[in-house]
Amino acid sequence: MAGSKSVVIAALIANGAIAVMKFLGYLLTGSPSMLSETYHSISDTGNQVFLLVGIRYSGRDPSRQHPFGYGKSQFFYSFLVAVMLFGIAGWESLKHGYGAIMHPGHGAEYQVIDFLGFSFNSVWVNVVVLVGAIGFETYAFVKANGELQRQIDEYGWSGVPEAFRRTSDVTTLTAYTEDAIALGGAAIALVGVLLSYFLDAPIYDAVASLVIGFLLMGFAVALAWENKRLLIGESLPSDVEEKLEAVIAEHPGVTGIDSFRSVFVGAQKALVTAEVQFDKDFDTGDLDADIAEIKSKLEAADNRVSYINIEPET
């Protein structure tokens, strides 16, 4: 939880500063791709706010109405990020880029600016802003990547693609993907701005805006899909379930397992239930002690196991 929160705070600071910089660049130049990048950074900033709300809400203690806690709130707020923020920002970027392509006269208007005795073309404002944005986003991406790599090492995943499919820490996943997309969007905008200026062809700037829109909307769909699997209730990976079943089966006195189920109830928090056959010669006192010991072994086997319910069958 602490790792995810630090990742989100780093991204919030970076994206807030970048959004202001990009908007100033757009006001000075009218660049379509800069406006798209402004939408992008505003959505990123709102994204972090939603994720922080999800982290805070998920930390509430279990209640009668929510006996397994509020962990799934992170899935819900991350889903909102995909639908409300990235979807809207992507659509606005796409629409603005399309408008700039269809009406070339409404594209970027570069002019000479006098500032503190220096004269320079306003295109360099966009270049400086985008280079600065790449620097800020690199910092946020390194932070998110470090947390994701820690989880990859801890759970033995083969890499980022497998982590994307298996992780229940959607907060870190969202921040990581968002920062990667932000770096790509800033680079695309930079190429579009420079090509438009040097080739005197505003179409490149407009196309960059269009590409950024598609990029954002594609990410929105992918993130929403990943959150869907957790919102409707996904189990621990099959190999993890097999390992946990083996822990129960190898415990002295266990003669069989009638059923075994697991489901994520929050980010890196899973509920495990099992119907376990015990030796018929066990008395009640021994059975209670053995169940408690099995629970301790399951928690030690995988730190995502947070709630355990074992039904003894003798």
Side-chain angles (χ1 to χ4, degrees):
M1 181 75 74
S4 298
K5 188 173 183 179
S6 65
V7 167
V8 174
I9 290 174
L12 176 64
I13 294 171
N15 289 317
I18 292 169
V20 174
M21 292 166 55
K22 289 176 178 176
F23 185 62
L24 290 175
Y26 166 71
L27 290 178
L28 288 172
T29 64
S31 165
S33 61
M34 283 302 291
L35 182 59
S36 291
E37 278 297 289
T38 300
Y39 288 140
H40 187 171
S41 292
I42 290 173
S43 75
D44 286 353
T45 305
N47 172 357
Q48 311 313 321
V49 173
F50 270 102
L51 294 180
L52 285 173
V53 170
I55 289 174
R56 182 176 178 82
Y57 198 72
S58 67
R60 295 176 64 180
D61 294 330
S63 65
R64 186 192 63 79
Q65 290 180 314
H66 299 274
F68 300 111
Y70 294 78
K72 282 195 173 186
S73 60
Q74 289 194 50
F75 307 156
F76 171 72
Y77 282 103
S78 186
F79 186 82
L80 284 185
V81 165
V83 176
M84 297 179 63
L85 295 176
F86 278 93
I88 293 172
W91 172 252
E92 287 298 324
S93 297
L94 196 69
K95 185 172 68 173
H96 195 75
Y98 177 78
I101 291 173
M102 299 305 294
H103 306 92
H106 297 286
E109 296 180 2
Y110 299 121
Q111 55 188 329
V112 176
I113 297 176
D114 292 319
F115 184 72
L116 298 178
F118 296 95
S119 296
F120 53 89
N121 194 290
S122 60
V123 68
W124 300 113
V125 174
N126 283 351
V127 172
V128 170
V129 167
L130 289 169
V131 170
I134 290 172
F136 275 113
E137 292 293 359
T138 299
Y139 160 73
F141 178 76
V142 168
K143 188 84 172 175
N145 183 63
E147 174 61 20
L148 193 63
Q149 290 299 327
R150 183 193 66 77
Q151 293 181 24
I152 289 172
D153 294 338
E154 181 175 359
Y155 299 116
W157 296 327
S158 60
V160 173
E162 185 177 6
F164 198 89
R165 295 192 306 270
R166 289 195 170 201
T167 187
S168 63
D169 184 1
V170 292
T171 298
T172 296
L173 180 65
T174 301
Y176 174 88
T177 314
E178 170 221 292
D179 293 335
I181 295 296
L183 276 172
I188 291 169
L190 182 60
V191 170
V193 165
L194 290 175
L195 286 177
S196 293
Y197 176 69
F198 285 113
L199 300 179
D200 193 24
I203 187 68
Y204 291 106
D205 199 348
V207 169
S209 176
L210 200 68
V211 172
I212 292 168
F214 277 120
L215 199 64
L216 284 167
M217 294 180 74
F219 170 63
V221 172
L223 182 61
W225 184 262
E226 287 305 307
N227 278 278
K228 186 203 74 151
R229 65 181 172 85
L230 292 163
L231 279 169
I232 63 178
E234 183 177 64
S235 66
L236 286 162
S238 58
D239 57 331
V240 175
E241 286 195 333
E242 290 171 4
K243 181 177 73 172
L244 295 176
E245 283 191 73
V247 168
I248 298 174
E250 292 168 4
H251 184 78
V254 172
T255 59
I257 301 174
D258 290 339
S259 71
F260 184 94
R261 297 181 180 87
S262 69
V263 65
F264 280 110
V265 294
Q268 308 295 60
K269 291 184 178 182
L271 163 68
V272 170
T273 66
E275 294 179 359
V276 181
Q277 295 180 11
F278 287 90
D279 191 302
K280 63 181 180 179
D281 294 329
F282 272 31
D283 61 36
T284 304
D286 293 333
L287 199 58
D288 289 342
D290 275 82
I291 288 175
E293 189 175 345
I294 291 173
K295 288 182 177 181
S296 296
K297 288 181 178 179
L298 291 173
E299 290 169 347
D302 194 296
N303 62 10
R304 289 170 292 187
V305 177
S306 303
Y307 302 95
I308 304 168
N309 181 37
I310 294 178
E311 287 290 330
E313 302 286 340
T314 57

